[in-house]
Amino acid sequence: MEAILQTFSLTKRFGDVLAVDHVNLRVNEGELFGFLGPNGAGKTTTISMLVGLLYPTEGRVEILGDEVTPTHTAPLRRVGTLIPPVGFVPYLSGRENLRLLVHLYPEVDDRRIEEILEQVGLRDAAHRRVKTYSTGMKQRLGLAAALLHRPKLLILDEPTSGLDPIGMKEMRELLRRLADEGTTIFLSSHLLHEVEQICDRVAILHHGRILAEGTVQELLRGRRDLEDVFLSVIEGN
Amino acid sequence: MNRTWTYFTRLVAVERRKLFGRALLWAELGILALFMGVIYVALIAALNKGGTPGTPPEAIEAFRRSLYWPAGLYSAFTFANGGELGGMFVAVLVGAFVAQEYTWHTLHFWLSRGVARTAYLLAKSAVIVLALLLLVLTALVVGGGVTGVFTYLEMGGLPLKEISLLTFVLNFLRTALTLLPYAALTLFLAVVSRSTMVAIGVSMAYSLLVENLIVELLALFSPDIARGARFLPTMLSKSLMQLVSPAAETQVQVGMQTQAGSALLSPNVAALLLVVYTLVLLGLSLWFFRRQDITV
């Protein structure tokens, strides 16, 4: 299978703190890949390097077969990203914020914007300024922005944070459906049951290091659930 | 090349929508217009009352003439130049427009979508230039409008034949040019500090206090050292504005000669140095921005 996203010995150090320690990841085409770890494990730092916001101290990132660095982010135009807090222009409406993206993705038209607003359940609130949105609404709009141009790869950091239980369920179903339709998804989360329910493969990150990686079935072998796997891996370290 | 240009113009469109959709820009222009309107009306009212007691009649007459078109029209530019009100307005506008991208995470949003850092900052800079032109235009409309009405009422018409279109356009661009170093300085501060308060505060402190302080300090030394003040952006602005509104700037030049022991530079040299200041600060901003870790 073709690798859509790969990291090679990816490392990030902030002064004396080793936030990400020689992480090697491989996400294959069409896969829904779960990136698990407790708070402070280095998930967001890793994702920030994937999307060219941070310079790695060592190692490199390849997305869609092309290297990504903070000064070479062109491959990311074919990627959908959701990294909270999602940075929308607060004095523009939800719809206007999505319209700004049309300048970046010329293939997107007004019909697609309305379609995606409907899909994330924001059509009725799309005329409101983003500064009046709740966290959950911003998260939904963030997902709309990520999906707008029908990307081949989605990089999502805690996409269900701020959503109510119904919203979380809808989000899980949407992500599973997108993966089934062929979109590759890199999903970072600390919600174990969420990852267990929808992901094909999982990597567990702790103190910046990958402690376990495999399909959900492989990791669950002899274990009750992913929480059991997670705790034994973390505590065993 | 063509694709790169198309992509850049799209980014400019995004930044233009972001800036021109902001209440801050229109509030600033409104304040500038109001302030200038009040000043001009107050000046005309004072003139009509015969000025302050003891003012020689010839001085009052000279001042009256400086408000007639075309001099009155060009006097509007002096309000908007970088060494005057314009510098402060630019600091607030550019500081908020650039630094808030960090705090609002809009920067993260766009960069993580494959927008190149250099193109992003250059698109922002291009839109800032548009805003500066709008600022000068506002000053022109208000100042030119009030002095135009004054000229019409006093002289029974407007001396339009005395206004050269080329001079008018050049004066417009010269005034905008004086704003560029202040915009570039604020851009640089916003990128380096990532803080709206620091960018606006330091930039305003520089234009209001530091530059004048340097002029005063240099004047304490020998005349040769004092002449160094001519190379500060505020003095370069004054040098360039000699061409725009000679009457006002002559006073400055006389003041400078006595105060700092130096004359102003030639307008052409000043224009060149203003461009150099701008390019150096823009280059430094790009250099820092390209190397920055953008933390979430």
Side-chain angles (χ1 to χ4, degrees):
Chain A
M1 262 203 274
E2 192 193 344
I4 293 285
L5 185 160
Q6 268 185 296
T7 68
F8 302 91
S9 202
L10 196 63
T11 303
K12 183 67 186 178
R13 191 182 277 281
F14 295 105
D16 291 338
V17 179
L18 188 58
V20 177
D21 186 4
H22 296 90
V23 165
N24 293 294
L25 292 170
R26 181 189 166 99
V27 181
N28 297 316
E29 191 171 7
E31 218 170 38
L32 207 166
F33 187 89
F35 194 47
L36 268 177
N39 291 333
K43 301 191 298 291
T44 299
T45 303
T46 304
I47 289 186
S48 297
M49 287 188 280
L50 295 183
V51 299
L53 293 177
L54 291 181
Y55 278 93
T57 309
E58 260 183 78
R60 62 191 175 91
V61 174
E62 265 187 23
I63 286 180
L64 301 165
D66 206 353
E67 185 167 359
V68 171
T69 68
T71 48
H72 181 256
T73 53
L76 294 170
R77 290 180 207 165
R78 289 185 288 157
V79 178
T81 56
L82 171 62
I83 304 164
V86 189
F88 291 110
V89 184
Y91 50 84
L92 297 181
S93 70
R95 184 177 282 113
E96 283 172 319
N97 268 284
L98 292 185
R99 282 203 180 127
L100 284 182
L101 285 170
V102 173
H103 293 290
L104 210 56
Y105 312 126
E107 70 276 18
V108 173
D109 56 16
D110 275 356
R111 215 174 66 184
R112 174 65 182 157
I113 290 174
E114 296 310 315
E115 184 185 299
I116 203 79
L117 283 167
E118 181 78 50
Q119 202 173 353
V120 299
L122 272 182
R123 194 152 189 186
D124 292 340
H127 65 283
R128 279 171 44 194
R129 290 179 179 202
V130 167
K131 66 180 170 191
T132 67
Y133 281 17
S134 66
T135 310
M137 289 166 84
K138 283 182 192 160
Q139 197 75 349
R140 285 168 187 270
L141 190 61
L143 185 68
L147 297 175
L148 191 64
H149 57 302
R150 297 186 174 89
K152 276 191 81 163
L153 169 67
L154 277 173
I155 297 176
L156 310 173
D157 189 10
E158 307 283 0
T160 53
S161 74
L163 297 181
D164 57 30
I166 298 169
M168 289 168 91
K169 184 171 176 286
E170 285 172 0
M171 177 77 85
R172 281 198 297 270
E173 287 169 358
L174 174 64
L175 295 181
R176 191 59 260 175
R177 195 172 69 239
L178 287 168
D180 292 341
E181 287 168 4
T183 307
T184 309
I185 301 174
F186 181 89
L187 168 72
S188 159
S189 178
H190 66 277
L191 300 175
L192 303 172
H193 68 284
E194 178 175 282
V195 171
E196 188 176 335
Q197 281 177 44
I198 59 172
C199 290
D200 304 311
R201 266 190 335 118
V202 172
I204 298 175
L205 188 77
H206 188 48
H207 292 321
R209 282 167 48 219
I210 299 284
L211 298 185
E213 190 182 348
T215 63
V216 174
Q217 290 75 20
E218 281 166 1
L219 293 176
L220 282 177
R221 207 162 286 153
R223 301 281 180 184
R224 198 175 59 246
D225 53 22
L226 205 52
E227 186 176 305
D228 193 20
V229 176
F230 185 78
L231 290 174
S232 68
V233 166
I234 301 285
E235 283 161 8
N237 193 251
Chain B
M1 182 66 191
N2 200 22
R3 260 180 76 180
T4 310
W5 177 249
T6 308
Y7 178 67
F8 179 70
T9 56
R10 285 198 198 122
L11 286 182
V12 171
V14 171
E15 293 305 320
R16 197 184 60 221
R17 178 73 189 94
K18 276 155 74 175
L19 182 63
F20 286 65
R22 266 190 104 123
L24 176 72
L25 172 66
W26 305 109
E28 271 212 344
L29 295 178
I31 291 168
L32 177 69
L34 186 71
F35 187 80
M36 284 186 64
V38 168
I39 296 253
Y40 271 107
V41 169
L43 282 175
I44 290 167
L47 260 182
N48 288 338
K49 274 190 154 187
T52 49
T55 313
E58 55 274 22
I60 294 174
E61 193 46 40
F63 189 62
R64 181 182 294 276
R65 278 199 304 274
S66 76
L67 288 179
Y68 291 155
W69 276 28
L73 177 67
Y74 296 141
S75 71
F77 288 128
T78 56
F79 278 94
N81 87 71
E84 306 290 336
L85 267 182
M88 286 188 284
F89 281 91
V90 164
V92 175
L93 188 71
V94 178
F97 183 51
V98 179
Q100 279 183 330
E101 296 274 341
Y102 289 92
T103 48
W104 286 347
H105 287 89
T106 34
L107 179 63
H108 310 61
F109 182 83
W110 288 93
L111 295 187
S112 68
R113 277 166 173 75
V115 172
R117 292 189 183 202
T118 303
Y120 178 85
L121 208 61
L122 288 179
K124 245 183 164 36
S125 305
V127 173
I128 288 170
V129 172
L130 284 181
L132 300 189
L133 293 174
L134 194 62
L135 191 120
V136 178
L137 183 68
T138 305
L140 180 70
V141 168
V142 177
V146 176
T147 55
V149 170
F150 179 63
T151 309
Y152 188 85
L153 292 176
E154 294 263 315
M155 301 177 75
L158 292 174
L160 295 175
K161 282 184 183 161
E162 290 178 37
I163 298 169
S164 146
L165 183 64
L166 179 66
T167 308
F168 179 80
V169 171
L170 282 175
N171 285 348
F172 188 93
L173 296 175
R174 283 167 186 144
T175 309
L177 178 60
T178 65
L179 295 169
L180 286 179
Y182 294 93
L185 173 68
T186 317
L187 174 79
F188 172 71
L189 290 167
V191 166
V192 172
S193 71
R194 310 175 191 206
S195 156
T196 312
M197 293 297 287
V198 171
I200 295 174
V202 175
S203 182
M204 281 182 93
Y206 175 76
S207 63
L208 291 175
L209 291 172
V210 178
E211 280 196 312
N212 292 330
L213 200 65
I214 293 172
V215 173
E216 297 289 338
L217 283 175
L218 291 178
L220 296 175
F221 297 95
S222 70
D224 283 341
I225 293 175
R227 271 189 207 104
R230 294 179 303 172
F231 299 98
L232 291 170
T234 184
M235 289 304 165
L236 294 175
S237 297
K238 289 182 197 316
S239 303
L240 187 58
M241 292 306 283
Q242 291 176 101
L243 287 177
V244 178
S245 190
E249 298 313 322
T250 305
Q251 294 165 6
V252 173
Q253 186 156 14
V254 170
M256 273 287 293
Q257 278 169 327
T258 50
Q259 186 186 50
S262 61
L264 295 174
L265 290 170
S266 88
N268 288 339
V269 173
L272 184 70
L273 289 176
L274 286 167
V275 171
V276 169
Y277 265 114
T278 305
L279 291 179
V280 168
L281 286 164
L282 180 62
L284 283 172
S285 305
L286 279 168
W287 189 83
F288 271 96
F289 188 55
R290 281 172 60 86
R291 279 155 187 77
Q292 234 169 19
D293 270 345
I294 313 285
T295 44
V296 176

